[in-house]
């Protein structure tokens, strides 16, 4: 009886075995679900994802949800929008040995996300340093007058140099603008004096040109009056009429030379 009882008890399935298997299945299912959730990466419309698999570059991920396996894969997002970076003020010396302070703003965007991650450690810092160095070099190649009057040309030159140097990094420079040029106080006073002297010179030239034109017109009028007999006398009478309308002024009127000559001719005729 004892043997039979042991045989029957061993042949009966243990009621806890199916429950144990279900717990294992639920556990593995939860782990897999957590891994899938942890593997999801969202790439926004203005971004690109640079994916690495076991440390090696794999692909560029487009916008949307992407699966990145933990431990084996990683992804770095790159913003593809245009960036406006303020270049801090740089002290530089112009070609004519004048110290100035120049600051600018640079507009650029990432054209190749893979190169921006693979070819340079930190493209934001690299672009800032490159713009500062290029700006100092460009200022040192021009004189102060050209720096003040040809800012667009200098900005275009800086933009071309920075764009060429950053092309291997997958960066496209759209524009560089010089914001401000700071001059020493004594240089500002000197420039103000130079501008004042220039304006005075123009005023003297304009005044002299006006006098020349006035003298030409007066000579033309004198020739016209001299060509017509009695014209000067009529002009004299008109001037007297204009002056007589204002009685508050005392006017000393000079007798025309033609009148004196007429008197002389009359005296000579009387003598004869």
């Amino acid at each position: 009886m004892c043997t039979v009882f042991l045989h029957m008890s061993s042949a009966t399935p243990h009621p806890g075995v199916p429950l144990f298997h279900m717990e294992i299945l639920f556990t593995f299912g939860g782990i897999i679900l957590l891994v899938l959730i942890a593997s999801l990466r969202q790439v926004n419309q203005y971004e690109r994802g640079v994916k690495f698999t076991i440390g090696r570059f794999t692909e560029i991920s487009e916008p949307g949800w992407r699966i990145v396996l933990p431990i084996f894969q990683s992804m770095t997002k790159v913003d593809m929008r245009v960036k406006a970076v303020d270049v801090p003020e740089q002290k530089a010396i112009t070609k004519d040995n004048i110290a100035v302070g120049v600051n600018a703003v640079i507009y650029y965007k990432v054209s190749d996300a893979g190169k921006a991650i693979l070819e340079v450690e930190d493209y934001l810092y690299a672009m800032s340093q490159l713009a500062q160095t290029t700006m100092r070099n460009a200022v040192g190649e021009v004189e102060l007058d050209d720096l003040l009057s040809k800012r667009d040309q200098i900005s275009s030159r800086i933009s071309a140099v920075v764009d060429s140097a950053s092309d291997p990094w997958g960066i496209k420079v759209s524009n560089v603008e010089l914001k401000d040029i700071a001059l020493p106080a004594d240089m500002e006073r000197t420039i103000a004096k130079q501008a004042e002297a220039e304006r005075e010179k123009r005023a003297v030239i304009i005044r002299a040109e006006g006098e020349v034109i006035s003298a030409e017109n007066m000579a033309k009028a004198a020739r016209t009056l001299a060509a017509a007999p009695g014209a000067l006398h009529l002009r004299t009478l008109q001037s007297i009429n204009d002056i007589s309308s204002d009685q508050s002024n005392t006017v000393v009127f000079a007798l025309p030379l033609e009148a004196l000559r007429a008197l002389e001719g009359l005296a000579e005729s009387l003598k004869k």
Side-chain angles (χ1 to χ4, degrees):
M1 292 295 294
C2 182
T3 305
V4 175
F5 176 75
L6 292 174
H7 178 70
M8 291 179 61
S9 62
S10 60
T12 304
H14 195 278
V17 173
L19 182 60
F20 177 72
H21 286 299
M22 291 297 292
E23 291 178 353
I24 293 177
L25 290 177
F26 279 120
T27 302
F28 275 108
I31 293 174
I32 293 174
L33 181 61
L34 290 175
V35 170
L36 288 176
I37 294 175
S39 300
L40 286 178
R41 295 289 186 275
Q42 176 174 309
V43 180
N44 296 321
Q45 183 65 37
Y46 55 84
E47 295 177 329
R48 296 296 183 270
V50 182
K51 185 183 290 186
F52 296 88
T53 302
I54 317 179
R56 299 188 63 181
F57 171 70
T58 305
E59 63 177 356
I60 302 295
S61 298
E62 296 296 324
W65 280 6
R66 296 292 178 263
I67 295 178
V68 179
L69 299 178
I71 301 175
F72 300 102
Q73 292 182 328
S74 63
M75 185 172 65
T76 303
K77 297 179 183 179
V78 179
D79 195 332
M80 306 296 290
R81 293 175 293 184
V82 175
K83 298 174 179 59
V85 179
D86 187 15
V87 182
E89 181 176 343
Q90 301 297 308
K91 296 295 184 181
I93 298 178
T94 61
K95 189 176 181 180
D96 47 353
N97 298 323
I98 299 176
V100 296
V102 183
N103 62 346
V105 59
I106 178 172
Y107 300 91
Y108 69 92
K109 64 181 295 185
V110 178
S111 59
D112 190 331
K115 290 182 179 180
I117 298 299
L118 298 175
E119 300 298 333
V120 60
E121 180 180 1
D122 185 351
Y123 69 89
L124 297 174
Y125 178 76
M127 286 297 297
S128 177
Q129 296 300 311
L130 177 61
Q132 294 178 30
T133 304
T134 306
M135 188 167 62
R136 287 195 297 267
N137 294 336
V139 171
E141 295 175 356
V142 297
E143 296 183 354
L144 180 61
D145 292 340
D146 295 335
L147 180 62
L148 297 175
S149 60
K150 301 178 181 179
R151 298 173 63 172
D152 293 339
Q153 297 180 9
I154 297 173
S155 299
S156 300
R157 187 187 309 173
I158 296 174
S159 177
V161 173
V162 175
D163 183 52
S164 176
S166 61
D167 186 65
W169 304 340
I171 305 295
K172 177 62 178 177
V173 178
S174 58
N175 194 17
V176 175
E177 292 290 342
L178 295 179
K179 294 174 59 178
D180 186 28
I181 300 175
L183 300 175
D186 55 347
M187 182 54 62
E188 292 181 358
R189 290 191 296 269
T190 302
I191 293 177
K193 292 179 181 179
Q194 180 183 1
E196 184 178 359
E198 184 69 22
R199 287 192 295 269
E200 290 180 356
K201 183 183 75 172
R202 293 178 182 177
V204 171
I205 292 175
I206 293 173
R207 189 182 302 112
E209 291 176 352
E211 290 179 356
V212 170
I213 296 174
S214 176
E216 292 177 353
N217 292 332
M218 291 180 64
K220 184 178 179 181
R223 287 193 298 269
T224 303
L225 293 173
L232 183 60
H233 182 63
L234 293 175
R235 178 59 181 164
T236 303
L237 294 177
Q238 183 180 0
S239 299
I240 294 173
N241 183 45
D242 294 337
I243 295 172
S244 63
S245 61
D246 188 4
Q247 300 179 1
S248 61
N249 296 328
T250 301
V251 180
V252 178
F253 192 80
L255 189 65
L257 184 61
E258 285 78 0
L260 294 177
R261 289 178 179 175
L263 293 176
E264 289 178 357
L266 181 62
E268 291 179 357
S269 62
L270 291 174
K271 289 180 181 179
K272 292 180 179 178

